[in-house]
């Protein structure tokens, strides 16, 4: 009968010996980093961003041309105005060939926890269209603008029926095609 008591004394002795070797702490482990140092580091990062914003050098709509797939053009298109969507405008864009760029293609352009499947900034939607179509549309718009200018020039140079013509050099309108800087009032 001495055996169970002796074995209990042996267990307690072993537990006491192991407790003496490894002190048990009730405090949580110390953090490796100092919160003040971490706060100072984060403040320095934020100051760098704020200086860029104040200087006006940050373009929130900038898209690095290297991330745009070959053969495609990216443009920011209006999606909402005062948080109201314009479905008519969206239908027009779709008819012209524009589709929304999926956030899965450029996940760094949206917050990591976003539920949106498209890239949005300040009511603008990042959209893509084949470059070939974009260039054709731009050429058409340039031609249309030139035709409007030519029509106005003809109106200026022409005279109503039954009146004198403007064949004399002093009677012809002087149309100048140049660009000048506009004065901006203060």
């Amino acid at each position: 009968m001495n055996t169970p008591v002796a074995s209990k004394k042996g267990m307690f002795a072993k537990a006491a010996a192991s407790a003496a070797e490894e002190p048990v702490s009730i405090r949580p482990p110390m953090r490796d980093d100092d919160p003040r140092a971490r706060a100072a580091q984060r403040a320095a990062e934020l100051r760098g961003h704020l200086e860029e914003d104040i200087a006006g050098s940050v373009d929130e709509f900038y898209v690095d041309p290297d991330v745009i797939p070959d053969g495609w053009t990216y443009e920011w298109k209006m999606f909402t105005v005062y948080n109201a969507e314009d479905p008519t405008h969206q239908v027009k864009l779709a008819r012209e060939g524009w589709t929304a760029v999926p956030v899965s293609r450029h996940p760094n352009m949206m917050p990591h926890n976003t539920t949106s499947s498209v890239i949005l900034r300040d009511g603008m939607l990042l959209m893509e269209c084949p470059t070939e179509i974009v260039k054709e549309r731009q050429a058409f718009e340039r031609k249309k603008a030139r035709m409007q200018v030519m029509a106005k020039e003809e109106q200026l140079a022409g005279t109503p029926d039954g009146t004198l013509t403007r064949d004399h050099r002093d009677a012809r309108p002087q149309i100048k095609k140049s660009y000048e800087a506009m004065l901006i009032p203060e």
Side-chain angles (χ1 to χ4, degrees), residues 17-69:
S18 66
E21 292 172 10
E22 299 175 15
V24 177
S25 175
I26 56 174
R27 295 179 68 186
M30 295 290 289
R31 287 185 283 214
D32 293 334
D33 57 338
D34 179 22
R36 289 184 181 148
R38 194 174 76 243
Q41 180 183 1
R42 180 67 179 142
E45 291 172 9
L46 292 174
R47 279 191 194 98
H49 295 300
L50 290 174
E51 288 170 4
E52 290 175 1
D53 287 344
I54 291 170
S57 63
V58 175
D59 180 5
E60 65 181 303
F61 295 108
Y62 175 76
V63 178
D64 184 7
D66 294 335
V67 302
I68 301 173

Side-chain angles (χ1 to χ4, degrees), residues 86-140:
D86 184 359
T88 306
H89 182 66
Q90 292 303 315
V91 169
K92 177 183 171 256
L93 291 173
R95 198 176 293 140
E96 292 175 354
W98 292 99
T99 55
V101 176
V103 77
S104 60
R105 190 176 305 155
H106 307 291
N108 60 327
M109 294 183 80
M110 288 291 283
H112 71 279
N113 58 352
T114 187
T115 58
S116 176
S117 61
V118 294
I119 300 170
L120 291 165
R121 289 199 184 143
D122 285 342
M124 303 293 281
L125 175 65
L126 185 61
M127 301 189 87
E128 64 183 356
C129 188
T131 302
E132 181 179 343
I133 299 297
V134 172
K135 286 183 178 179
E136 287 176 12
R137 190 172 301 112
Q138 288 171 343
F140 173 75

Side-chain angles (χ1 to χ4, degrees), residues 1-10:
M1 292 217 182
N2 288 345
T3 312
V5 174
S7 64
K8 281 185 183 178
K9 284 183 182 179

